[in-house]
Amino acid sequence: MNKPIAHDLLRCDAMARLIRRVETIAPKRTMSYGGKTRNLAVLVRAGFTVPAAWAVPGSVCSDYVSRILPAEEQLPALLRSREDPAELARIRLKLLSGSLSPEVEASLSEVYRRLALEGTGAMAVRSSSSFEDTTISSAAGVHQSILHVTNEEQLQTALKECWSSLFSCKALSYFRTYCAEESSRSASLQAMGTLIQAMVPAEVSGVLFTANPMTGDADEMVVNAVYGLGCSLVDGRVSPDVWMIDKASKAPRDRIVGEKLIRTVMAAGFGVEDRPVDAADVDRPCLDESQLQQLILLGLRVEACFDGPRDIEWAFADGVLYVLQARPITSLGLAPPKRRRRRRVPTVDRSRLVWSNVNVGEALPGVATPLTWSVASGFSELGFRRAFGSMGCSVPRDAELVGNFRGRIYLNLSEFISIASQIPGLNPNVLLALGGGGRFDEFELQSDARGRFGFVARLPLTLARFVRENYRIGDKVGRFESFFHEEYARIGRLDFRVLSPSALSRVLRDIEHLLEESGSVMLTCYGNLLLSVVALRSVVQGVAGDRSDVLFQDLLSGLADVVSAAPGVALWHIAEMARTEPDVRRYLEEEDIDRMQIDALPLGVTRRALDRFLEAYGHRGPREAELLEPRWSEDPSLLFTSLRLHLVGPEIQRKPIDVERELRQRRESAERELVALSVLPGRAAVRHLLSFVQRFTRLRERLRDYVVHVLGLFRRVALDASRRIQKAESKAPTDAAFYLSLDELKSMLRGEVASVASLVSERKRHVERNRAVPSPPDAFVGVPPPDATPTFDGSVLRGLAASRGLARGRARVLHQVCDAKAFVPGEILVVACADVGWSPLFLVASAVVTDLGGPLSHAAVVLREYGVPAVVNVTDASRQISTGDLLEVDGRLGIVSVLERVTESHLPRAAH
């Protein structure tokens, strides 16, 4: 035998026992090589473009550690003691300075030689342990990866650096938290597999999730991309470009262009370095359309290959797309991904869909936490379906009615108009405008028109059901209220702190049922209200001519006993009581609002009245649909601010009871006028229609109050669950449960997952980033623009008339509750949206202007009952108007005129 050939064969045989080419390893026999190796083996065998890679079994690491370290310094011993950073640093230094066995050195030399023969000029050494990149744990960032290794000596050092990363505070903490079963066999943790992989000189790289890891939506892919190597993305040093992709149509749902100031590249000789990105490239997407489509197809193929959602690391180099890793999305392990039924007809063109949040944005403004989104999106979807169903419309089971854009809820107006087109003679724009649907002239609302035959065929049943529900609505609501009060009181009496986790999970299930029942009754009433108001508007426009707008607003006001208007009136009465108690008045006027407490008020009628107020309305609050936001009972600062404003400002000349009487007289006059204008045979029908509108307006507001009560129960469970999470995982934030979906929270309480701290931290960063990026416009077509810069319309801003009246005054723009301390009585309140939680300020404002909302929104209903002029749905009002601007608000015409822009001398002094 030729001697050199024999020597080469012996060397190959020795290396085969130690290090193997990834594609030669059967995926089912990769246990000793680790999760990352297994995933790469599957990819290579399936024909994906994967950089050449060799796998080092865990036994090589275990043998080396056992030879270099005494037993008391190895993982089994260290996991039983508290981490000592100095001791761990000494152990890592010992591992780095040790010598590899001759057999391992020879094998590494052969790997380097073979990769060099294939044209590989640089390598990466990555960990691949048995608990890494699995369906349970990812261990992302726990171990060290060494990039751009260029010679044999560096390769040996890199392998030892990777192994030594087992002995870090982060790794030991991770083992105890995420690998409880493995920790009992801690010697196996020490057997860490390793990968030696050819480096890809990436021009663009990133991560592709084939299901949204933040929402669990299996129909949405997420792409993150940066210039250069992906380590800058993984380390969080660069804000990446982000695409949300609709999996069915392969079209973007959203795109966010990140601020990519640096790119990481291979340094000269060894390692990596950061270089500045050219100014022209910083704000432009780093992927073109062709590359994005390649990634989408890659994601679909990889997901099909593994038969489940995947987290894929990828890179583009010289026009070739490489797969670097593909691991399970561990955050989806808490709950199965949610997949909607897809249409069997050709996929809709998402680039033509019109989205708007001017209706739902009032109920759920801003970025929603995952728990809130999981509750609200399902509730909204079900609600709109029931509302349309009560009008006789057929809603496809797979219709996409609501969407999530940068954490904010939006309605699919194209789908809404398509559904509403079933109703003969109905202008869908009128229907949507009543709810604040948007400014439709700006968009070409394309939709698939629904056939009307089905609607007409169902019309007798629809009318019969409408009459039946209206005839029995009192009994239905009465039965519901009896059930609600009993169930709410039962749950309210429970001490969540003493319940077992499984018992708390059952309570959560009961609260879900209570919300479903409350929502069912409320949304039935809302559907009937919407249909009744559409009919009333048609009648008014048909008979009143130029007076139709004024007449219509008057018919919707003066209802007196609307539940959502009660808190503001109650606070006015409490302020009047405080005027008669000098000590109370002094406390309310002089104490720092942030330090005020109900218990600190002197005893007397005011204190007792405030206690009764919180008992009746303490469950309300600004952004009350967001479960993370505190309620008035938890944070009464807005209540104290309102009381102070009543006391330090001029006394309201028109007392609430006088306003109520005036509005009632105005409504009754409008009713007589409408009946007189109607043809004689139809007058009885008009009277019944007016009765329906008034009844359903009152019912909807009353039932909404019940829904807010239930949301408060969800918040109580989340607060207690957060306490439990932090007790089990000290690194978890105090509000951890709010960053889990409802299904994930139940899984956690049932003990189906060991830890959530890592997922919660990731979710919290995601929510914070959504809050930091520009809000999408109130309405847009297809995909929201990267930067929603407001269009300033000059001195005249137009919206929707919500409460008639004319007011002139200085603007006060408020973005959050704590800003209310600067409010001055008589100013015009300008906010992005105003739910009932803001109502304490309504009676001290001369007028209200909002970005979002419609004539039937809850705030509009309250403002009409207070007789405060209001214009809603004014595009970017809170950004176009500045505090101190002199405004004139015409609530009859829906016009806000900017009479004078602010100067420093015009800024009023706050009440405090």
Side-chain angles (χ1 to χ4, degrees):
M1 181 181 290
N2 185 293
K3 189 173 181 180
I5 294 177
H7 177 72
D8 196 48
L9 287 173
L10 288 173
R11 184 168 54 182
C12 290
D13 182 60
M15 188 177 70
R17 292 196 303 270
L18 291 178
I19 306 176
R20 295 179 59 181
R21 187 77 178 232
V22 166
E23 55 265 37
T24 68
I25 308 174
K28 292 183 178 179
R29 297 183 178 180
T30 55
M31 181 173 295
S32 63
Y33 292 92
K36 193 170 292 167
T37 298
R38 178 193 176 278
N39 294 331
L40 285 183
V42 172
L43 290 168
V44 173
R45 291 187 169 211
F48 290 93
T49 304
V50 177
W54 294 75
V56 182
S59 58
V60 177
C61 172
S62 180
D63 290 346
Y64 177 77
V65 172
S66 299
R67 181 165 56 85
I68 299 297
L69 299 178
E72 63 271 16
E73 293 180 355
Q74 295 180 33
L75 280 180
L78 294 177
L79 286 171
R80 292 192 296 269
S81 61
R82 186 168 183 169
E83 297 106 276
D84 181 345
E87 177 67 10
L88 291 175
R90 189 185 61 78
I91 291 173
R92 290 196 302 273
L93 185 60
K94 187 183 294 188
L95 289 170
L96 288 172
S97 60
S99 298
L100 299 173
S101 69
E103 191 179 24
V104 173
E105 286 188 0
S107 297
L108 291 177
S109 178
E110 183 63 15
V111 169
Y112 181 82
R113 185 180 72 84
R114 294 196 180 190
L115 286 174
L117 287 174
E118 295 176 16
T120 299
M123 288 159 278
V125 177
R126 305 176 189 273
S127 61
S128 178
S129 68
S130 59
F131 60 87
E132 198 169 359
D133 292 355
T134 69
T135 56
I136 300 173
S137 61
S138 69
V142 173
H143 301 303
Q144 190 172 359
S145 293
I146 296 84
L147 305 180
H148 195 205
V149 174
T150 59
N151 59 48
E152 292 184 40
E153 183 181 350
Q154 291 174 2
L155 182 56
Q156 293 181 23
T157 302
L159 189 63
K160 290 185 287 185
E161 283 187 22
C162 192
W163 292 340
S164 69
S165 65
L166 283 166
F167 297 84
S168 67
C169 292
K170 181 190 294 185
L172 266 63
S173 176
Y174 188 90
F175 296 152
R176 293 192 183 101
T177 303
Y178 294 91
C179 311
E181 293 182 5
E182 286 288 339
S183 295
S184 64
R185 304 188 305 273
S186 48
S188 66
L189 294 174
Q190 203 161 272
M192 183 175 73
T194 322
L195 273 170
I196 302 170
Q197 192 173 33
M199 278 284 290
V200 175
E203 293 125 18
V204 181
S205 58
V207 178
L208 163 62
F209 299 95
T210 64
N212 191 320
M214 296 299 112
T215 64
D217 186 353
D219 293 326
E220 183 172 81
M221 304 169 77
V222 181
V223 177
N224 292 275
V226 296
Y227 293 117
L229 302 176
C231 52
S232 63
L233 168 62
V234 175
D235 297 342
R237 292 180 290 116
V238 173
S239 176
D241 295 337
V242 181
W243 285 263
M244 308 292 185
I245 305 296
D246 180 70
K247 195 177 288 183
S249 64
K250 304 179 185 63
R253 290 181 177 177
D254 196 2
R255 184 192 74 183
I256 303 171
V257 178
E259 191 177 29
K260 306 169 294 297
L261 298 177
I262 60 171
R263 74 173 79 224
T264 303
V265 298
M266 289 186 279
F270 176 74
V272 296
E273 64 182 9
D274 293 336
R275 294 179 184 170
V277 173
D278 293 342
D281 294 334
V282 169
D283 296 323
R284 74 170 181 83
C286 57
L287 290 173
D288 59 31
E289 186 60 33
S290 172
Q291 291 173 317
L292 184 62
Q293 287 303 313
Q294 287 183 63
L295 277 169
I296 293 169
L297 294 175
L298 172 71
L300 294 173
R301 288 177 55 214
V302 171
E303 185 175 67
C305 177
F306 287 96
D307 193 27
R310 289 280 137 171
D311 168 358
I312 304 165
E313 288 188 25
W314 54 268
F316 276 104
D318 294 325
V320 178
L321 174 57
Y322 293 90
V323 182
L324 307 181
Q325 291 186 47
R327 54 178 167 246
I329 305 176
T330 53
S331 62
L332 298 181
L334 294 174
K338 297 179 181 179
R339 183 180 295 278
R340 293 186 296 270
R341 292 182 177 231
R342 280 292 168 191
R343 298 186 177 205
R344 299 184 183 274
V345 298
T347 305
V348 296
D349 183 358
R350 297 189 65 85
S351 66
R352 299 167 64 193
L353 294 181
V354 178
W355 297 89
S356 171
N357 75 337
V358 292
N359 181 295
V360 288
E362 183 236 6
L364 185 56
V367 177
T369 54
L371 182 60
T372 300
W373 170 256
S374 63
V375 172
S377 59
F379 181 80
S380 299
E381 184 94 18
L382 176 65
F384 288 122
R385 288 177 181 276
R386 285 179 172 168
F388 275 120
S390 70
M391 299 168 68
C393 296
S394 172
V395 183
R397 293 184 64 185
D398 55 2
E400 186 181 5
L401 299 179
V402 296
N404 184 332
F405 294 91
R406 304 172 199 175
R408 299 155 175 91
I409 190 169
Y410 278 75
L411 299 185
N412 183 347
L413 293 193
S414 299
E415 189 72 75
F416 271 62
I417 286 186
S418 179
I419 296 169
S421 66
Q422 299 173 60
I423 305 176
L426 174 65
N427 182 348
N429 287 0
V430 172
L431 180 67
L432 291 172
L434 287 171
R439 296 158 287 280
F440 309 105
D441 294 340
E442 301 175 20
F443 308 108
E444 181 185 1
L445 275 167
Q446 303 285 350
S447 62
D448 300 324
R450 308 286 181 194
R452 291 176 175 172
F453 176 78
F455 174 85
V456 175
R458 292 188 299 272
L459 190 58
L461 292 175
T462 302
L463 291 174
R465 184 178 68 242
F466 182 77
V467 172
R468 183 175 64 254
E469 286 183 350
N470 280 280
Y471 179 73
R472 298 178 178 176
I473 193 68
D475 293 338
K476 183 177 182 179
V477 172
R479 288 193 301 272
F480 160 74
E481 289 185 321
S482 297
F483 158 75
F484 179 89
H485 291 305
E486 181 178 340
E487 183 69 355
Y488 184 81
R490 180 188 70 82
I491 297 174
R493 287 192 296 268
L494 296 174
D495 185 349
F496 292 172
R497 296 171 300 176
V498 301
L499 296 179
S500 68
S502 59
L504 189 60
S505 178
R506 290 193 294 272
V507 171
L508 192 56
R509 182 191 59 200
D510 293 341
I511 295 171
E512 280 188 272
H513 177 65
L514 190 58
L515 179 66
E516 185 176 337
E517 292 297 312
S518 306
S520 174
V521 179
M522 184 193 81
L523 294 164
T524 297
C525 290
Y526 183 59
N528 290 338
L529 171 64
L530 201 56
L531 193 59
S532 301
V533 171
V534 168
L536 178 62
R537 186 183 181 98
S538 299
V539 171
V540 172
Q541 289 180 332
V543 301
D546 294 341
R547 274 189 50 77
S548 61
D549 289 341
V550 174
L551 198 62
F552 183 67
Q553 284 195 47
D554 288 348
L555 290 169
L556 296 180
S557 62
L559 302 181
D561 54 352
V562 173
V563 169
S564 47
V569 175
L571 281 174
W572 177 85
H573 283 292
I574 292 173
E576 291 301 294
M577 296 176 191
R579 293 181 189 277
T580 66
E581 296 185 295
D583 291 343
V584 172
R585 180 168 186 169
R586 189 178 306 110
Y587 179 84
L588 292 173
E589 290 182 356
E590 298 176 2
E591 183 61 62
D592 182 354
I593 286 177
D594 292 332
R595 295 168 55 187
M596 285 186 180
Q597 298 291 333
I598 303 292
D599 293 344
L601 278 173
L603 293 174
V605 292
T606 306
R607 165 81 174 272
R608 290 194 293 272
L610 263 177
D611 288 337
R612 290 193 299 270
F613 178 94
L614 289 177
E615 185 177 343
Y617 309 115
H619 61 287
R620 310 294 308 235
R623 293 192 75 221
E624 58 194 11
E626 170 52 66
L627 301 178
L628 184 61
E629 292 291 330
R631 279 32 184 171
W632 285 340
S633 59
E634 302 168 75
D635 178 11
S637 59
L638 186 65
L639 307 181
F640 285 124
T641 298
S642 176
L643 290 172
R644 173 173 292 182
L645 292 171
H646 278 301
L647 292 172
V648 302
E651 286 197 47
I652 300 176
Q653 299 301 315
R654 298 169 62 219
K655 294 179 174 58
I657 192 170
D658 297 331
V659 174
E660 177 188 323
R661 184 184 304 110
E662 179 183 328
L663 292 174
R664 185 177 67 250
Q665 292 172 351
R666 188 189 295 174
R667 174 178 55 78
E668 291 171 349
S669 175
E671 290 174 355
R672 290 192 294 271
E673 182 179 350
L674 178 62
V675 171
L677 290 172
S678 304
V679 294
L680 187 60
R683 289 180 179 176
V686 169
R687 291 191 181 95
H688 282 299
L689 184 58
L690 288 168
S691 175
F692 285 155
V693 170
Q694 293 163 14
R695 174 192 293 183
F696 287 127
T697 299
R698 293 186 177 98
L699 278 177
R700 186 191 67 150
E701 295 304 305
R702 191 161 93 221
L703 292 164
R704 165 62 190 255
D705 188 65
Y706 289 134
V707 169
V708 177
H709 270 96
V710 181
L711 295 180
L713 293 178
F714 276 111
R715 176 170 166 78
R716 278 189 58 201
V717 171
L719 289 171
D720 190 77
S722 297
R723 176 187 61 81
R724 295 167 189 249
I725 292 171
Q726 193 180 48
K727 186 177 180 180
E729 303 179 72
S730 59
K731 294 182 180 179
T734 56
D735 53 2
F738 295 94
Y739 295 92
L740 301 174
S741 71
L742 190 57
D743 288 337
E744 291 167 347
L745 180 57
K746 287 187 287 188
S747 294
M748 187 275 296
L749 290 172
R750 290 195 297 262
E752 296 171 0
V753 289
S755 173
V756 297
S758 179
L759 172 63
V760 165
S761 297
E762 187 178 352
R763 291 273 178 82
K764 196 160 188 175
R765 286 194 298 269
H766 183 75
V767 169
E768 289 169 355
R769 185 182 182 195
N770 277 335
R771 288 173 179 157
V773 299
S775 300
D778 300 341
F780 58 86
V781 180
V783 178
D787 186 8
T789 303
T791 302
F792 292 95
D793 297 330
S795 60
V796 178
L797 310 178
R798 298 183 181 277
L800 298 175
S803 178
R804 79 181 179 98
L806 190 67
R808 179 178 293 195
R810 297 284 175 184
R812 176 66 63 176
V813 183
L814 301 183
H815 297 288
Q816 49 191 350
V817 174
C818 61
D819 298 335
K821 293 182 291 185
F823 196 84
V824 175
E827 289 182 323
I828 294 174
L829 176 63
V830 181
V831 289
C833 56
D835 57 13
V836 176
W838 283 99
S839 62
L841 294 182
F842 291 171
L843 279 173
V844 292
S846 59
V848 174
V849 178
T850 71
D851 297 4
L852 306 178
L856 293 184
S857 64
H858 300 284
V861 170
V862 173
L863 287 161
R864 281 195 294 272
E865 293 308 301
Y866 291 169
V868 176
V871 179
V872 299
N873 211 329
V874 181
T875 306
D876 291 312
S878 60
R879 297 174 69 183
Q880 294 199 64
I881 297 170
S882 300
T883 293
D885 286 352
L886 182 62
L887 307 181
E888 184 176 81
V889 176
D890 190 330
R892 181 178 70 86
L893 298 177
I895 293 175
V896 179
S897 301
V898 183
L899 305 179
E900 179 181 277
R901 290 292 179 181
V902 64
T903 62
E904 203 63 36
S905 61
H906 289 141
L907 284 174
R909 296 180 62 187
H912 64 98

